């Protein structure tokens, strides 16, 4: 649409900037889950995996052989 193109031209006046802006916007949009998809939980878990693994190792260190 013309209104969107006008704003895009203001924000990114040259072609390289425009291409980069559109590509970045599409990348972000395409990583969003579709309705019914639940990528959010996995992303949260993966972002703190190191801390979660350290906590699990700490908890396991308290176990004693039976």
């Amino acid at each position: 649409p013309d209104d969107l193109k006008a704003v895009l031209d203001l924000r990114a006046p040259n072609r390289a900037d425009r291409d980069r802006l559109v590509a970045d916007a599409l990348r972000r949009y395409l990583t969003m889950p579709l309705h019914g998809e639940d990528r959010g939980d996995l992303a949260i878990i993966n972002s703190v995996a190191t801390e979660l693994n350290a906590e699990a190792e700490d908890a396991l260190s308290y176990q004693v052989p039976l």
Side-chain angles (χ1 to χ4, degrees), residues 1-63:
D2 290 339
D3 61 327
L4 187 57
K5 185 178 180 323
V7 174
L8 182 60
D9 289 343
L10 286 174
R11 296 262 176 124
N14 67 56
R15 183 179 175 96
D17 291 340
R18 219 175 4 256
D19 290 348
R20 188 171 26 259
L21 189 145
V22 171
D24 288 346
L26 280 171
R27 278 189 190 93
R28 289 181 185 176
Y29 175 77
L30 294 173
T31 61
M32 295 176 6
L34 296 173
H35 182 70
E37 289 183 337
D38 193 9
R39 295 184 194 163
D41 291 343
L42 182 58
I44 292 168
I45 291 169
N46 287 337
S47 72
V48 293
T50 301
E51 293 87 352
L52 291 172
N53 288 336
E55 186 176 330
E57 286 180 19
D58 180 54
L60 290 172
S61 72
Y62 291 100
Q63 290 185 348

